[in-house]
Amino acid sequence: MAVRVGVIGTGVMGADHVRILGSMVSRATVSAVTDLDLGRAREVARRVGARVIDTPDALIEDADVDAVLVASSDRTHEGFVLACLDADKPVLCEKPLTPTPEAALRIVGREVDRGRRTVSVGFMRRYDPGFVAVKQALTDGAIAEPLMIHCVHRNASSRPNAPTAGLIHGSAVHEIDATRWLLGEEIARVTVHRGRRSSRVVGETADPLLCVFETESGVVVDVEVFVNAQYGYEVRCEVVGETGTVMVDEPPQAVLRSAQRRTTSVAYDWRDRFAEAYRRELQDWIDGIVAGDPQRGASAWDGYAATAVAAAGVEALATGAIVEVKLESRPALYG
Ligand code: ISE
C-alpha cells in the first residue's frame, strides 16, 4: 500500500517535492497539500490529484495523511514538526530544521521523550551520488586520513536585500552537514570572513563570504559562499587526505563540441544540480516508512548540530572572532 504524504508549503521546494513524489517515487502518493497561499496550493494539488486542506494543523491530523513533508518557511518548522511528533506521524522537514539551536533542541527533546526517531531533515547531499562516492572513498581509507576540505557553494542570484545570516543558515548549512556526515565528527570552531562585496548584489547583503570550520580532530574546512555568482549554480567539495584527494563529481551530462568550442552546461539551481539526490532522499524516506523504520538520512540531532554551527557562524560574522561551537550532549537515541 502507498504511503499517503501530506505536504505543508507549496513554494519552490514544496512544489518540487510534490512533483517528485507524484511521479518518481514508488509506494508514495501525495494525498493533501496546504499553503498560506491556497490558490498556489490548489494549482500544485491539481497536478497530482491531491486534496487541499486549509491549515497545516488540519493536514497533520487528517486521516488520509500517513506522513508529512514540511517545506514551509524556516520559522514555521518547529511548530509543525512538534505537531507531527504529537500526532505520531513521520516527518521529513526541509533544511534548516529550525532557525535557532534552541528550537531544534525542543524538537530533539520531544523526540527523545517519545523514545523513537521519526524526524528526518532534508540534507539531500547525503543522497547525491557524488557525495556518496566521496564518503565511500573516505570509509575505504582511499586517501588515508582526511586533513582539509575545500568547498564552493554558488547560487546565480539571491533576492534583493537577503539577510547575510541567510548565507550561513540557508546555504553554508549544507557544507556544515556534509562535513559532519563525511568525517563523522563535530565542527568545533568557526570563523567567517567577508571580503570585497560584489557590485552585482542588489541591496545590503555581504556576498561572497568565506567560512572556515575546524573539526574536533583539527580538519580545516573552507567554504566560499557566493549567492550572486551570476553564471549559475555550482557546488564543489574536495577532501584532501594524507595520500590523495577525493572530489565530488557533478552528474553526468553531454559535452558539446561545436564551432571550435568544447562546452558543458552549468546548473540553473539546486533542484537541477541535485535532482537525483532529491529523488533518492524521498524514495529512502518512503522505503523507511514502509519498512517501519521511518527516520532516514539526517536526524533531528543532525538538524540541531547543523543549526548550532550555523548560529556560531552568524556570531563569527558579526564579531570577526573565532567562535567555539557548544553542543549539548548527544542523547542515546541518536547513537
Ligand atoms: C537553498 O535554500 C538550498 O537549500 C540550496 O540547496 C542551496 O544550495 C541554496 O544556496 C539555498 O539558498
Side-chain angles (χ1 to χ4, degrees):
M1 224 187 67
V3 176
R4 297 165 302 174
V5 180
V7 177
I8 301 177
T10 52
V12 170
M13 277 321 300
D16 206 46
H17 285 313
V18 168
R19 179 184 65 80
I20 297 169
L21 281 166
S23 59
M24 294 177 211
V25 173
S26 54
R27 294 182 300 282
T29 57
V30 181
S31 57
V33 304
T34 190
D35 194 279
L36 274 179
D37 178 345
L38 287 172
R40 178 164 80 172
R42 270 191 287 277
E43 173 53 25
V44 171
R46 191 188 53 75
R47 296 179 205 146
V48 290
R51 277 162 60 217
V52 174
I53 296 184
D54 285 355
T55 67
D57 288 337
L59 179 140
I60 292 166
E61 293 297 334
D62 195 90
D64 291 332
V65 168
D66 304 316
V68 179
L69 193 152
V70 175
S72 48
S73 59
D74 300 352
R75 68 189 158 69
T76 64
H77 290 181
E78 179 189 2
F80 298 153
V81 172
L82 289 175
C84 290
L85 284 167
D86 292 345
D88 198 21
K89 294 194 178 175
V91 54
L92 172 60
C93 181
E94 256 305 328
K95 48 58 62 178
L97 178 57
T98 57
T100 67
E102 293 76 19
L105 267 184
R106 287 191 284 273
I107 292 174
V108 165
R110 186 80 58 94
E111 198 175 45
V112 167
D113 288 346
R114 295 183 69 247
R116 185 163 173 252
R117 282 159 49 168
T118 53
V119 177
S120 306
V121 182
F123 282 121
M124 79 297 188
R125 289 189 188 179
R126 293 180 179 221
Y127 291 93
D128 176 70
F131 275 88
V132 170
V134 167
K135 170 118 175 120
Q136 189 60 52
L138 294 175
T139 308
D140 294 345
I143 58 167
E145 288 301 313
L147 305 171
M148 285 193 170
I149 307 183
H150 303 297
C151 304
V152 165
H153 187 156
R154 299 186 187 135
N155 291 6
S157 61
S158 67
R159 62 189 162 81
N161 273 315
T164 304
L167 273 68
I168 302 172
H169 273 297
S171 297
V173 73
H174 284 290
E175 277 75 20
I176 294 171
D177 182 66
T179 297
R180 297 182 60 255
W181 173 70
L182 286 173
L183 300 179
E185 59 171 319
E186 297 296 348
I187 293 171
R189 54 195 67 83
V190 185
T191 47
V192 177
H193 306 264
R194 56 173 100 200
R196 181 172 174 187
R197 186 171 164 272
S198 165
S199 66
R200 303 300 168 111
V201 178
V202 182
E204 298 303 313
T205 318
D207 187 29
L209 297 178
L210 183 74
C211 305
V212 181
F213 309 132
E214 195 187 319
T215 69
E216 290 164 321
S217 76
V219 176
V220 171
V221 183
D222 59 86
V223 186
E224 174 206 304
V225 188
F226 188 13
V227 298
N228 288 275
Q230 308 292 311
Y231 69 89
Y233 183 82
E234 190 171 12
V235 163
R236 294 189 211 151
C237 174
E238 180 181 24
V239 185
V240 179
E242 292 171 324
T243 61
T245 86
V246 57
M247 193 168 174
V248 171
D249 203 1
E250 295 191 18
Q253 54 167 310
V255 178
L256 172 68
R257 288 181 174 81
S258 170
Q260 288 83 51
R261 287 178 185 276
R262 179 182 181 277
T263 51
T264 57
S265 59
V266 175
Y268 169 70
D269 74 9
W270 55 91
R271 289 168 299 172
D272 180 8
R273 163 66 182 84
F274 288 105
E276 178 60 9
Y278 283 118
R279 191 194 64 75
R280 291 184 184 202
E281 173 188 73
L282 289 171
Q283 187 65 67
D284 192 40
W285 182 54
I286 295 295
D287 290 348
I289 295 168
V290 171
D293 170 24
Q295 197 278 301
R296 296 287 175 100
S299 66
W301 177 261
D302 296 317
Y304 157 68
T307 299
V309 177
V314 172
E315 188 184 332
L317 172 72
T319 59
I322 301 175
V323 177
E324 303 282 331
V325 181
K326 293 181 199 71
L327 293 182
E328 297 296 319
S329 52
R330 189 182 179 115
L333 183 66
Y334 301 100

Coordinates of all heavy atoms in Angstrom, one line a residue, residues 4-66:
R4 N 0.6 7.7 2.1 CA -0.1 8.9 1.7 C 0.6 10.1 2.4 O 0.5 10.3 3.6 CB -1.5 8.8 2.1 CG -2.3 7.7 1.4 CD -3.6 7.4 2.0 NE -3.4 7.0 3.4 CZ -4.5 6.8 4.2 NH1 -5.7 6.9 3.8 NH2 -4.2 6.5 5.5
V5 N 1.2 11.0 1.6 CA 2.0 12.1 2.1 C 1.2 13.4 2.1 O 0.6 13.7 1.0 CB 3.4 12.2 1.3 CG1 4.2 13.4 1.9 CG2 4.2 10.9 1.3
G6 N 1.3 14.1 3.1 CA 0.7 15.5 3.2 C 1.9 16.5 3.1 O 2.9 16.3 3.8
V7 N 1.8 17.5 2.3 CA 2.9 18.4 2.1 C 2.5 19.8 2.6 O 1.4 20.4 2.1 CB 3.3 18.5 0.6 CG1 4.4 19.6 0.4 CG2 3.8 17.1 0.1
I8 N 3.3 20.3 3.5 CA 3.0 21.7 4.0 C 3.9 22.7 3.3 O 5.1 22.6 3.5 CB 3.2 21.8 5.6 CG1 2.3 20.8 6.3 CG2 3.0 23.2 6.1 CD1 2.5 20.7 7.8
G9 N 3.4 23.6 2.6 CA 4.2 24.6 1.8 C 4.4 24.1 0.4 O 4.9 23.1 0.1
T10 N 3.8 25.0 -0.5 CA 3.9 24.6 -1.9 C 4.7 25.7 -2.7 O 4.3 26.0 -3.8 CB 2.5 24.4 -2.5 OG1 1.7 25.6 -2.2 CG2 1.8 23.2 -2.0
G11 N 5.7 26.3 -2.0 CA 6.6 27.2 -2.7 C 7.5 26.4 -3.6 O 7.2 25.2 -4.0
V12 N 8.7 26.9 -3.9 CA 9.7 26.3 -4.8 C 10.0 24.9 -4.4 O 9.8 23.9 -5.2 CB 11.0 27.2 -4.8 CG1 12.1 26.4 -5.6 CG2 10.7 28.5 -5.5
M13 N 10.4 24.7 -3.2 CA 10.8 23.3 -2.7 C 9.6 22.4 -2.6 O 9.6 21.2 -3.0 CB 11.6 23.3 -1.4 CG 13.0 23.7 -1.6 SD 13.8 22.9 -3.1 CE 13.6 21.2 -2.8
G14 N 8.5 22.9 -1.9 CA 7.3 22.1 -1.7 C 6.8 21.6 -3.0 O 6.5 20.4 -3.2
A15 N 6.7 22.5 -4.0 CA 6.1 22.1 -5.3 C 7.0 21.0 -6.0 O 6.5 20.1 -6.6 CB 6.0 23.3 -6.2
D16 N 8.3 21.2 -5.8 CA 9.2 20.2 -6.4 C 9.1 18.9 -5.7 O 9.1 17.8 -6.4 CB 10.7 20.7 -6.3 CG 11.5 20.2 -7.4 OD1 11.0 20.1 -8.6 OD2 12.6 19.7 -7.2
H17 N 9.0 18.9 -4.4 CA 8.8 17.6 -3.7 C 7.5 16.9 -4.1 O 7.4 15.7 -4.3 CB 8.8 17.8 -2.2 CG 10.1 18.1 -1.6 ND1 11.3 17.3 -1.9 CD2 10.6 19.0 -0.7 CE1 12.3 17.8 -1.3 NE2 11.9 18.8 -0.5
V18 N 6.4 17.7 -4.3 CA 5.1 17.1 -4.8 C 5.3 16.5 -6.1 O 4.9 15.4 -6.4 CB 4.0 18.2 -4.8 CG1 2.8 17.7 -5.5 CG2 3.7 18.7 -3.4
R19 N 6.0 17.2 -7.0 CA 6.3 16.7 -8.4 C 7.0 15.3 -8.3 O 6.6 14.4 -8.9 CB 7.1 17.7 -9.2 CG 7.4 17.3 -10.6 CD 8.3 18.3 -11.3 NE 9.6 18.5 -10.7 CZ 10.6 17.7 -10.9 NH1 10.5 16.6 -11.7 NH2 11.8 17.9 -10.3
I20 N 8.1 15.3 -7.5 CA 8.9 14.1 -7.4 C 8.1 13.0 -6.8 O 8.1 11.8 -7.3 CB 10.2 14.4 -6.7 CG1 11.1 15.4 -7.4 CG2 11.0 13.1 -6.5 CD1 12.2 16.0 -6.6
L21 N 7.5 13.3 -5.7 CA 6.7 12.2 -5.0 C 5.6 11.7 -5.9 O 5.3 10.5 -5.9 CB 6.0 12.8 -3.7 CG 6.9 12.9 -2.5 CD1 6.3 13.8 -1.4 CD2 7.3 11.5 -1.9
G22 N 5.0 12.6 -6.7 CA 3.9 12.2 -7.5 C 4.3 11.4 -8.8 O 3.4 10.8 -9.4
S23 N 5.6 11.5 -9.2 CA 5.9 10.9 -10.5 C 7.1 10.0 -10.4 O 7.3 9.2 -11.4 CB 6.2 12.0 -11.5 OG 7.3 12.9 -11.0
M24 N 8.0 10.1 -9.4 CA 9.2 9.3 -9.5 C 9.5 8.4 -8.3 O 10.5 7.8 -8.2 CB 10.4 10.3 -9.6 CG 10.4 11.0 -10.9 SD 11.8 12.2 -10.8 CE 11.2 13.5 -11.7
V25 N 8.6 8.5 -7.3 CA 8.8 7.7 -6.1 C 7.8 6.6 -6.0 O 6.6 6.8 -6.1 CB 8.8 8.6 -4.8 CG1 8.9 7.9 -3.6 CG2 9.9 9.7 -4.9
S26 N 8.3 5.4 -5.8 CA 7.4 4.3 -5.7 C 6.8 4.1 -4.3 O 7.4 4.5 -3.3 CB 8.0 2.9 -6.2 OG 9.2 2.7 -5.5
R27 N 5.6 3.5 -4.2 CA 4.9 3.3 -3.0 C 4.6 4.6 -2.3 O 4.5 4.7 -1.0 CB 5.6 2.4 -2.0 CG 5.7 0.9 -2.6 CD 6.4 0.0 -1.6 NE 7.8 0.4 -1.3 CZ 8.8 0.2 -2.2 NH1 8.6 -0.3 -3.3 NH2 10.0 0.7 -1.8
A28 N 4.4 5.7 -3.0 CA 4.0 7.0 -2.4 C 2.9 7.7 -3.2 O 2.9 7.6 -4.5 CB 5.2 7.9 -2.3
T29 N 2.0 8.4 -2.5 CA 1.1 9.3 -3.2 C 1.1 10.6 -2.4 O 1.3 10.6 -1.2 CB -0.3 8.8 -3.3 OG1 -0.8 8.6 -2.0 CG2 -0.5 7.6 -4.2
V30 N 0.8 11.7 -3.1 CA 0.6 12.9 -2.3 C -0.9 13.0 -2.1 O -1.7 13.2 -3.1 CB 1.1 14.2 -3.1 CG1 0.9 15.4 -2.3 CG2 2.6 14.0 -3.4
S31 N -1.4 12.9 -0.9 CA -2.8 12.9 -0.6 C -3.4 14.3 -0.3 O -4.5 14.6 -0.6 CB -3.2 11.9 0.5 OG -2.5 12.3 1.7
A32 N -2.5 15.2 0.2 CA -3.0 16.5 0.6 C -1.9 17.5 0.6 O -0.7 17.2 0.8 CB -3.6 16.4 2.0
V33 N -2.2 18.8 0.3 CA -1.2 19.8 0.4 C -1.9 21.0 1.1 O -3.1 21.2 1.1 CB -0.7 20.3 -0.9 CG1 -0.1 19.1 -1.7 CG2 -1.7 21.0 -1.8
T34 N -1.1 21.9 1.7 CA -1.6 23.1 2.2 C -0.5 24.2 2.0 O 0.7 23.9 1.9 CB -2.0 23.0 3.7 OG1 -2.7 24.2 4.1 CG2 -0.8 22.8 4.6
D35 N -1.0 25.5 2.0 CA 0.0 26.6 1.9 C -0.8 27.8 2.4 O -2.0 27.9 2.4 CB 0.3 26.8 0.4 CG 1.5 27.7 0.2 OD1 1.4 28.9 0.3 OD2 2.6 27.2 0.1
L36 N 0.0 28.8 2.8 CA -0.7 30.1 3.2 C -1.4 30.7 2.0 O -2.5 31.2 2.2 CB 0.4 31.1 3.6 CG 0.9 31.1 5.1 CD1 2.0 32.1 5.3 CD2 -0.3 31.3 6.0
D37 N -0.9 30.4 0.8 CA -1.5 30.9 -0.4 C -2.3 29.7 -0.9 O -1.7 28.8 -1.6 CB -0.4 31.3 -1.4 CG -0.9 31.8 -2.7 OD1 -2.1 31.5 -3.0 OD2 -0.1 32.4 -3.5
L38 N -3.6 29.6 -0.6 CA -4.4 28.5 -1.0 C -4.5 28.3 -2.5 O -4.7 27.2 -3.0 CB -5.7 28.5 -0.3 CG -5.6 28.2 1.2 CD1 -7.0 28.4 1.9 CD2 -5.2 26.7 1.4
G39 N -4.4 29.4 -3.2 CA -4.5 29.4 -4.7 C -3.3 28.6 -5.2 O -3.4 27.8 -6.1
R40 N -2.1 28.9 -4.7 CA -0.9 28.2 -5.1 C -1.0 26.7 -4.7 O -0.7 25.9 -5.5 CB 0.3 28.9 -4.4 CG 1.6 28.3 -4.7 CD 2.7 29.2 -4.3 NE 3.0 29.1 -2.9 CZ 4.1 29.7 -2.3 NH1 4.9 30.4 -3.0 NH2 4.3 29.6 -1.0
A41 N -1.6 26.5 -3.6 CA -1.7 25.1 -3.1 C -2.7 24.3 -4.1 O -2.4 23.2 -4.5 CB -2.3 25.0 -1.7
R42 N -3.7 25.0 -4.5 CA -4.7 24.3 -5.4 C -4.0 24.0 -6.7 O -4.2 22.9 -7.3 CB -5.9 25.3 -5.7 CG -7.0 25.1 -4.7 CD -8.3 25.8 -5.1 NE -8.2 27.2 -4.9 CZ -8.4 27.9 -3.7 NH1 -8.7 27.2 -2.6 NH2 -8.3 29.2 -3.7
E43 N -3.2 24.9 -7.2 CA -2.5 24.6 -8.5 C -1.6 23.4 -8.4 O -1.6 22.5 -9.3 CB -1.8 25.9 -8.9 CG -0.9 25.8 -10.1 CD -1.6 25.2 -11.4 OE1 -2.8 25.4 -11.5 OE2 -0.9 24.6 -12.2
V44 N -0.8 23.4 -7.3 CA 0.1 22.3 -7.1 C -0.7 21.0 -6.9 O -0.3 19.9 -7.4 CB 1.1 22.6 -6.0 CG1 1.9 21.4 -5.6 CG2 2.0 23.8 -6.3
A45 N -1.8 21.0 -6.1 CA -2.6 19.8 -5.8 C -3.2 19.3 -7.1 O -3.2 18.0 -7.3 CB -3.7 20.2 -4.8
R46 N -3.6 20.1 -8.0 CA -4.3 19.7 -9.2 C -3.4 18.8 -10.0 O -3.8 17.8 -10.6 CB -4.7 21.0 -10.0 CG -5.6 20.8 -11.2 CD -5.7 22.0 -12.0 NE -4.5 22.6 -12.4 CZ -3.7 22.2 -13.4 NH1 -4.0 21.1 -14.1 NH2 -2.5 22.8 -13.7
R47 N -2.1 19.1 -10.0 CA -1.2 18.4 -10.9 C -1.0 16.9 -10.5 O -0.7 16.1 -11.3 CB 0.2 19.0 -10.8 CG 0.2 20.4 -11.4 CD 1.7 21.0 -11.3 NE 1.6 22.4 -11.3 CZ 2.5 23.2 -10.6 NH1 3.4 22.7 -9.9 NH2 2.4 24.5 -10.7
V48 N -1.3 16.6 -9.2 CA -1.1 15.2 -8.7 C -2.4 14.6 -8.1 O -2.4 13.6 -7.6 CB 0.0 15.1 -7.6 CG1 1.4 15.4 -8.2 CG2 -0.3 16.1 -6.5
G49 N -3.5 15.4 -8.3 CA -4.8 14.9 -7.8 C -4.9 14.8 -6.3 O -5.5 13.9 -5.7
A50 N -4.2 15.8 -5.6 CA -4.3 15.8 -4.1 C -5.4 16.7 -3.6 O -5.9 17.5 -4.4 CB -2.9 16.3 -3.6
R51 N -5.8 16.6 -2.4 CA -6.7 17.5 -1.8 C -6.0 18.7 -1.3 O -4.8 18.6 -0.9 CB -7.4 16.8 -0.6 CG -8.6 15.9 -0.9 CD -8.9 15.0 0.2 NE -9.2 15.7 1.4 CZ -8.9 15.4 2.7 NH1 -8.1 14.3 2.9 NH2 -9.2 16.1 3.7
V52 N -6.7 19.8 -1.2 CA -6.1 21.0 -0.5 C -6.8 21.1 0.9 O -8.0 21.0 1.0 CB -6.4 22.3 -1.3 CG1 -5.9 23.5 -0.5 CG2 -5.7 22.2 -2.6
I53 N -6.0 21.2 1.9 CA -6.5 21.3 3.3 C -6.2 22.7 3.7 O -5.1 23.2 3.5 CB -5.9 20.2 4.2 CG1 -6.4 18.8 3.7 CG2 -6.3 20.4 5.6 CD1 -6.0 17.6 4.5
D54 N -7.1 23.4 4.4 CA -6.9 24.8 4.7 C -5.8 25.1 5.6 O -5.2 26.2 5.5 CB -8.2 25.3 5.4 CG -9.3 25.5 4.4 OD1 -9.0 25.3 3.2 OD2 -10.5 25.8 4.8
T55 N -5.5 24.3 6.6 CA -4.4 24.6 7.6 C -3.5 23.5 7.8 O -3.8 22.3 7.7 CB -5.0 25.0 9.0 OG1 -5.6 23.8 9.5 CG2 -6.1 26.1 8.9
P56 N -2.2 23.8 8.2 CA -1.2 22.7 8.4 C -1.7 21.8 9.6 O -1.5 20.6 9.5 CB 0.0 23.5 8.8 CG -0.2 24.8 8.2 CD -1.6 25.1 8.2
D57 N -2.3 22.4 10.6 CA -2.7 21.5 11.7 C -3.7 20.5 11.3 O -3.7 19.3 11.7 CB -3.2 22.4 12.9 CG -2.1 23.1 13.6 OD1 -1.0 22.7 13.5 OD2 -2.4 24.2 14.2
A58 N -4.7 20.9 10.5 CA -5.7 20.0 10.0 C -5.1 19.0 9.1 O -5.4 17.8 9.1 CB -6.8 20.8 9.2
L59 N -4.1 19.4 8.3 CA -3.4 18.4 7.4 C -2.7 17.3 8.2 O -2.7 16.1 7.9 CB -2.4 19.1 6.5 CG -1.6 18.3 5.5 CD1 -1.5 18.9 4.1 CD2 -0.2 17.9 6.1
I60 N -2.0 17.8 9.3 CA -1.2 16.8 10.1 C -2.2 15.8 10.7 O -1.9 14.6 10.8 CB -0.4 17.6 11.2 CG1 0.7 18.4 10.4 CG2 0.2 16.6 12.2 CD1 1.4 19.4 11.3
E61 N -3.3 16.3 11.2 CA -4.3 15.4 11.8 C -5.1 14.6 10.9 O -5.8 13.6 11.3 CB -5.3 16.3 12.6 CG -4.7 17.0 13.8 CD -4.1 16.0 14.9 OE1 -4.6 14.9 14.9 OE2 -3.2 16.4 15.6
D62 N -5.1 14.9 9.6 CA -6.0 14.3 8.6 C -5.8 12.7 8.5 O -4.7 12.3 8.5 CB -5.8 14.9 7.2 CG -6.9 14.6 6.3 OD1 -7.9 15.3 6.2 OD2 -6.8 13.5 5.6
A63 N -6.9 12.0 8.5 CA -6.9 10.6 8.5 C -6.3 10.0 7.2 O -5.8 8.9 7.2 CB -8.3 10.0 8.7
D64 N -6.3 10.8 6.1 CA -5.7 10.3 4.9 C -4.2 10.7 4.7 O -3.7 10.6 3.6 CB -6.5 10.9 3.7 CG -7.8 10.2 3.6 OD1 -8.0 9.1 4.1 OD2 -8.8 10.9 3.1
V65 N -3.6 11.2 5.8 CA -2.2 11.6 5.7 C -1.4 10.7 6.7 O -1.6 10.7 7.9 CB -2.0 13.1 6.1 CG1 -0.5 13.4 6.3 CG2 -2.6 14.0 5.1
D66 N -0.5 9.9 6.1 CA 0.3 8.9 6.9 C 1.6 9.6 7.3 O 2.2 9.2 8.3 CB 0.7 7.7 6.1 CG -0.6 7.0 5.5 OD1 -1.5 6.8 6.3 OD2 -0.5 6.6 4.3

